[in-house]
């Protein structure tokens, strides 16, 4: 099951569980569409993999399976080394 992390790892922007702007890699590194399409160039800076749009978890399912509240953020920046 996806964690549904609450924010973009790069810019820190909030990404609600129903956000259409959330993008995830295969390890569920989570970024917003702006960062993915912009400075990340479509590749995950942590693992080098590609991104897919994060599926929306329906509200009824969120009640039983809540989204993660643990923020992952890299204040030093997210660009690949
Ligand atoms: Zn971002
Ligand atoms: Zn990754």
């Amino acid at each position: 099951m996806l964690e549904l992390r609450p924010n973009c790892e790069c810019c820190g922007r909030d990404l609600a569980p129903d956000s259409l702007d959330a993008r995830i890699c295969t390890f569920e590194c989570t970024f917003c569409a702006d960062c993915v399409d912009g400075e990340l160039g479509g590749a995950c800076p942590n693992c080098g993999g590609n991104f897919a749009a994060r599926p929306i978890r329906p509200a009824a399912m969120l009640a039983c399976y809540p989204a993660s509240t643990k923020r992952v953020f890299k204040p030093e920046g997210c660009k690949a080394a």
Side-chain angles (χ1 to χ4, degrees):
M1 187 175 80
L2 295 173
E3 292 177 35
L4 301 176
R5 296 178 187 171
N7 67 294
C8 172
E9 208 170 295
C10 181
C11 68
R13 175 187 308 184
D14 287 341
L15 293 168
D18 63 352
S19 172
L20 295 171
D21 290 330
R23 301 287 181 269
I24 57 173
C25 80
T26 188
F27 294 107
E28 211 184 335
C29 307
T30 303
F31 298 93
C32 70
D34 284 348
C35 289
V36 166
D37 296 338
E39 58 184 305
L40 297 182
C44 176
N46 300 324
C47 70
N50 69 328
F51 287 104
R54 188 174 69 186
I56 305 299
R57 185 169 302 168
M61 290 295 113
L62 270 177
C64 306
Y65 304 99
S68 168
T69 56
K70 199 176 110 198
R71 298 179 78 86
V72 178
F73 177 53
K74 301 214 165 76
E76 70 276 19
C78 57
K79 286 195 177 97

